[in-house]
């Protein structure tokens, strides 16, 4: 099937959203924890995280315009703190349920049956059920004018996970961590490791490790 | 294990790069096709693609500063055209091998054993071995000043895939497509579908489909 730009533009809204969201493939799934205006905890499910750099250690995250994302975004703008928490198969449904639009003042932790915890000096909740938890401090908010989205850039200020998940070279094993991945708006996948491949050089055969 | 910002900053370069690149989880893996300055085909492996919006249909892609990425970025800047091609397990090693630094003028298609093809009026090569192929036209280049990276924004102008991969609602089945995913700089995973979950509403049980 060949789909042209004109066909895409003429699709109905829901069909196009489902197609385009599922088109590029697997995405990084994170529960994002923030603190709301009255001090209550907020948790939202996002799939728009992108690596920006290792030194300084920066992660980007795209927010949609005028949407339910706005609690999370306004909390990050106000407090400067947020957390990324991976999702495993054992609490997938609770994680997905956080995308429901609860009235302001409700905590998704309570409504969806997830457990929050805090560390001293960091004003955003972590998810106890997650196996890899990242604390971020806001560095920059970049408006993407072409479609009204926003790129939020944060620096990694703290990582919490089990020792057994990190190899001696720093590699984090998301297979062991049970991290799941997503495509589109509602589809979830487990991942099975194929291999790590050696650094590629012209004319040199690759090694699997 | 708790890793603080100070620990991250004091790590040696390779250890930090491996840790931070593998930290957030699964990423969208794409072979990016462009046309070089002398008309030869260029192909590079990237894991920094992010969905920006469905209407217009926009995908973002982050480029590192001063790196081997630059051929791809300068080709996109010059021609305004590029392609995203998914990677399946059957040609993983050829895809990974495209990250080797071939001398200017060499085509990764030839060097790595992949097959290029073109469509009329679009000046960038597609990968025949891929099962989902996307043509993009450059819309905007956004400098991310905090670390010298670049967000390249393109509009989807054409999609090529087998009919059997698209559900009636527009959902693209990356399980059927054989698409693989990646973590870190060198680690690859197959994905196995768990479920699609119904739209979440407060107080309503989720359905799997």
């Amino acid at each position: 099937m060949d789909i042209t730009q004109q066909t895409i533009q003429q699709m109905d809204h829901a069909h196009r959203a489902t197609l385009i969201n599922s088109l590029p493939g697997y995405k990084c799934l994170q529960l994002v924890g923030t603190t709301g205006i009255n001090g209550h905890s907020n948790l939202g499910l996002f799939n728009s995280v992108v690596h920006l750099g290792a030194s300084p250690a920066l992660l980007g995250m795209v927010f949609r315009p005028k949407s339910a994302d706005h609690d999370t975004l306004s909390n990050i703008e106000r407090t400067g703190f947020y957390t990324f928490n991976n999702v495993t198969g054992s609490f997938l449904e609770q994680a997905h349920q956080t995308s429901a639009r609860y009235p302001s003042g409700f905590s998704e932790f309570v409504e969806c049956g997830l457990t929050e915890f805090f560390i001293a000096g960091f004003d955003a909740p972590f998810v106890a059920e997650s196996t890899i938890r990242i604390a971020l401090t806001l560095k920059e908010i970049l408006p993407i004018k072409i479609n009204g989205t926003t790129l939020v850039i944060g620096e990694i200020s703290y990582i919490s996970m089990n020792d057994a998940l990190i190899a001696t070279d720093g590699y984090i094993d998301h297979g062991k961590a049970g991290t799941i991945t997503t495509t589109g708006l509602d589809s979830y996948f487990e991942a099975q490791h194929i291999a790590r491949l050696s650094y590629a050089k012209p004319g040199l055969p690759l090694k699997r490790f």
Side-chain angles (χ1 to χ4, degrees), chain A:
Chain A
M1 178 184 285
D2 290 353
I3 304 175
T4 65
Q5 187 163 11
Q6 197 181 8
T7 309
I8 295 169
Q9 286 165 349
Q10 289 170 351
M11 284 174 185
D12 77 73
H13 176 81
H15 192 95
R16 183 175 51 235
T18 300
L19 176 76
I20 300 300
N21 273 278
S22 61
L23 181 63
Y26 300 103
K27 297 185 270 198
C28 183
L29 186 67
Q30 298 286 352
L31 281 166
V32 179
T34 54
T35 297
I37 198 158
N38 297 317
H40 74 275
S41 292
N42 183 288
L43 195 63
L45 190 61
F46 289 84
N47 61 23
S48 61
V49 170
V50 66
H51 170 86
L52 288 182
S55 181
L58 299 175
L59 291 171
M61 178 182 177
V62 177
F63 285 86
R64 291 175 292 166
K66 292 178 203 157
S67 78
D69 304 347
H70 276 191
D71 267 1
T72 298
L73 179 52
S74 61
N75 291 344
I76 292 172
E77 288 179 305
R78 195 182 56 258
T79 66
F81 296 112
Y82 52 117
T83 68
F84 288 168
N85 307 270
N86 73 334
V87 178
T88 71
S90 64
F91 63 97
L92 165 60
E93 300 208 354
Q94 291 100 305
H96 185 80
Q97 186 62 31
T98 65
S99 57
R101 299 187 182 211
Y102 292 100
S104 183
F106 281 63
S107 165
E108 289 82 5
F109 282 99
V110 177
E111 300 304 319
C112 306
L114 292 167
T115 313
E116 67 182 13
F117 74 93
F118 292 85
I119 59 168
F122 194 84
D123 189 16
F126 295 87
V127 178
E129 286 80 1
S130 297
T131 55
I132 300 173
R133 312 170 199 109
I134 309 167
L136 294 121
T137 50
L138 176 64
K139 298 306 280 187
E140 194 172 335
I141 293 182
L142 213 67
I144 299 176
K145 287 176 189 159
I146 191 170
N147 70 346
T149 54
T150 304
L151 178 65
V152 171
I153 301 172
E155 183 167 0
I156 297 167
S157 55
Y158 174 80
I159 304 165
S160 161
M161 76 183 98
N162 193 301
D163 286 10
L165 302 181
I166 314 185
T168 50
D169 68 348
Y171 170 74
I172 294 173
D173 189 332
H174 282 275
K176 271 192 199 165
T179 307
I180 62 174
T181 180
T182 185
T183 68
L185 298 162
D186 56 18
S187 192
Y188 299 96
F189 292 80
E190 287 173 334
Q192 290 195 317
H193 195 233
I194 303 171
R196 292 181 73 183
L197 295 178
S198 56
Y199 190 80
K201 292 184 179 178
L204 211 69
L206 292 170
K207 288 177 192 154
R208 292 185 172 223
F209 63 106

